[in-house]
Amino acid sequence: MNSAKQTCVFGPIPSRRLGLSLGVDLVPFKTCSMDCIYCECGKTTSLTLERREYFPTDLALAQIDAVLNRHPQIDYITFSGTGEPTLHSGIGRVIAEIKAKHPEVKVCLLTNASLLTDPAVRRECAPVDLIVPSLDGSNEEEFEAVNRPAKGVTLRSVAEGIAEFRKISSAQMWLELFIAKDINDSEASAKRFLELVRKIRPDKVQLNTLDRPGTERDVGIPPRERLEAMARIIGAAAPVECVGGRAGGEDGKNNGSIGDCNDRIVATCASRPCTAEDLARSLGFRRSELETHLRRMEKAGLVFREDGPRGIYYRAGKPS
């Protein structure tokens, strides 16, 4: 990552779950410990468990301070982005300094929980106000099918790491289960998820489904009634809500992929520079989601921004 030209902060953006959220992305594009079939950022290009300072920690703190000075009304600082945030070796220091300098702002960690097996990572992240860990398989076969993790990461290790984190942190925990049609949406899956939830004891469980193009085109979306049936079973252990943007229709299939979405945007921006509003109107995207997606594309080098008469414009490729 060329830190001289990059920023680790994005937003603030309105979030359906967190209010006004400032995103913090501490790792290079698609550096992750999993290659999930539903990831809206696309395929993982650096599958790793190596923790290191991917982005200068001092620079990250300076950029966060600069935004908070301009936007003191932010509800959450959210560690998320284009890879697994706990891979960054300085995340503990960033969290600690935010809590010390900006105690009025809550801190949220979105994580695939693969590194919560490490006691040091659990201690570093314990001060957050909210953690949203993912647990996408009810058995090892489902876990491998949905998450495609780095070698050595298992459902058992992830579940145990989340449970151990729960013991040492007072953070709210919203356990997110991504449900894919015909992979982990059966009654048997729901019963196995129930036992995992009983061990972890989250404050609530969120059943999520595909809301925008994922890595793989053929990720199925379960019918609403199937999700509701799963929620009733898992609800014996914790409150459950369905947070996915849609349920499956007749075929329950996703009609696009992250690559399709990128291709449409690149093709449009190659023909003429476009604002986010132009792209949203012409391609049928929601404006709030599109701006986040454009940021990821910019980080991947697919588009670049430039000033224009109506604000920020996007062009395909890299600036000359």
Side-chain angles (χ1 to χ4, degrees):
M1 180 183 292
N2 185 349
S3 58
K5 296 184 178 180
Q6 294 282 354
T7 177
C8 74
V9 297
F10 57 100
I13 56 176
S15 165
R16 59 190 167 100
R17 294 186 286 184
L18 303 176
L20 192 63
S21 172
L22 176 66
V24 178
D25 188 358
L26 294 171
V27 297
F29 184 80
K30 285 313 293 172
T31 297
C32 196
S33 51
M34 295 183 182
D35 182 23
C36 301
I37 61 174
Y38 59 84
C39 185
E40 63 197 51
C41 300
K43 184 174 178 59
T44 293
T45 52
S46 177
L47 186 66
T48 183
L49 289 171
E50 181 187 5
R51 296 194 77 207
R52 59 186 178 89
E53 191 179 35
Y54 290 95
F55 190 94
T57 302
D58 287 338
L59 181 58
L61 288 164
Q63 291 179 352
I64 292 168
D65 284 341
V67 176
L68 289 178
N69 288 336
R70 297 195 306 270
H71 300 279
Q73 76 280 16
I74 286 172
D75 298 305
Y76 274 94
I77 292 175
T78 304
F79 291 94
S80 60
T82 57
E84 171 50 39
T86 58
L87 286 170
H88 190 277
S89 58
I91 191 172
R93 181 183 161 208
V94 177
I95 292 171
E97 295 207 20
I98 291 171
K99 300 299 292 182
K101 295 172 67 175
H102 307 280
E104 72 284 358
V105 180
K106 294 182 179 179
V107 177
C108 173
L109 171 63
L110 306 183
T111 176
N112 65 27
S114 57
L115 277 81
L116 292 183
T117 55
D118 184 342
V121 175
R122 294 197 295 266
R123 289 193 299 270
E124 290 169 17
C125 298
V128 301
D129 300 282
L130 170 64
I131 184 170
V132 185
S134 298
L135 190 69
D136 300 327
S138 70
N139 59 21
E140 297 293 349
E141 181 180 6
E142 293 174 0
F143 177 73
E144 288 284 341
V146 175
N147 296 127
R148 301 185 299 196
K151 185 177 180 180
V153 179
T154 64
L155 172 68
R156 180 176 179 177
S157 68
V158 170
E160 288 180 352
I162 298 172
E164 289 301 313
F165 180 89
R166 185 66 163 153
K167 294 177 182 177
I168 68 165
S169 175
S170 60
Q172 279 277 306
M173 178 181 285
W174 301 348
L175 183 66
E176 185 169 87
L177 314 180
F178 179 85
I179 307 300
K181 187 174 183 288
D182 298 330
I183 296 180
N184 61 351
D185 64 337
S186 68
E187 181 179 352
S189 296
K191 290 178 179 177
R192 289 191 294 265
F193 275 127
L194 170 63
E195 294 309 311
L196 290 168
V197 171
R198 281 177 170 157
K199 293 176 181 178
I200 293 170
R201 299 183 297 107
D203 293 285
K204 67 178 175 181
V205 174
Q206 297 181 321
L207 299 187
N208 209 349
T209 57
L210 205 68
D211 191 36
R212 53 184 70 92
T215 304
E216 302 298 335
R217 173 184 288 274
D218 60 351
V219 179
I221 304 169
R224 173 62 59 179
E225 57 270 19
R226 189 172 301 178
L227 292 172
E228 291 174 348
M230 294 187 74
R232 286 193 293 272
I233 293 171
I234 299 169
V240 179
E241 60 182 7
C242 298
V243 299
R246 57 199 173 109
E250 280 190 2
D251 60 2
K253 291 290 184 181
N254 169 33
N255 294 319
S257 68
I258 195 72
D260 295 332
C261 185
N262 289 348
D263 289 346
R264 292 169 64 198
I265 292 172
V266 168
T268 303
C269 292
S271 63
R272 64 188 187 281
C274 298
T275 66
E277 184 177 357
D278 295 336
L279 290 166
R281 185 170 56 249
S282 63
L283 299 178
F285 293 109
R286 280 182 284 187
R287 173 70 182 271
S288 59
E289 292 181 355
L290 180 62
E291 290 184 344
T292 301
H293 188 77
L294 284 168
R295 187 195 64 81
R296 297 187 183 105
M297 292 182 68
E298 186 179 6
K299 194 171 181 181
L302 298 175
V303 298
F304 68 94
R305 64 172 65 194
E306 63 183 17
D307 292 330
R310 290 187 289 117
I312 300 297
Y313 285 74
Y314 292 88
R315 289 186 181 270
K318 297 181 179 180
S320 56

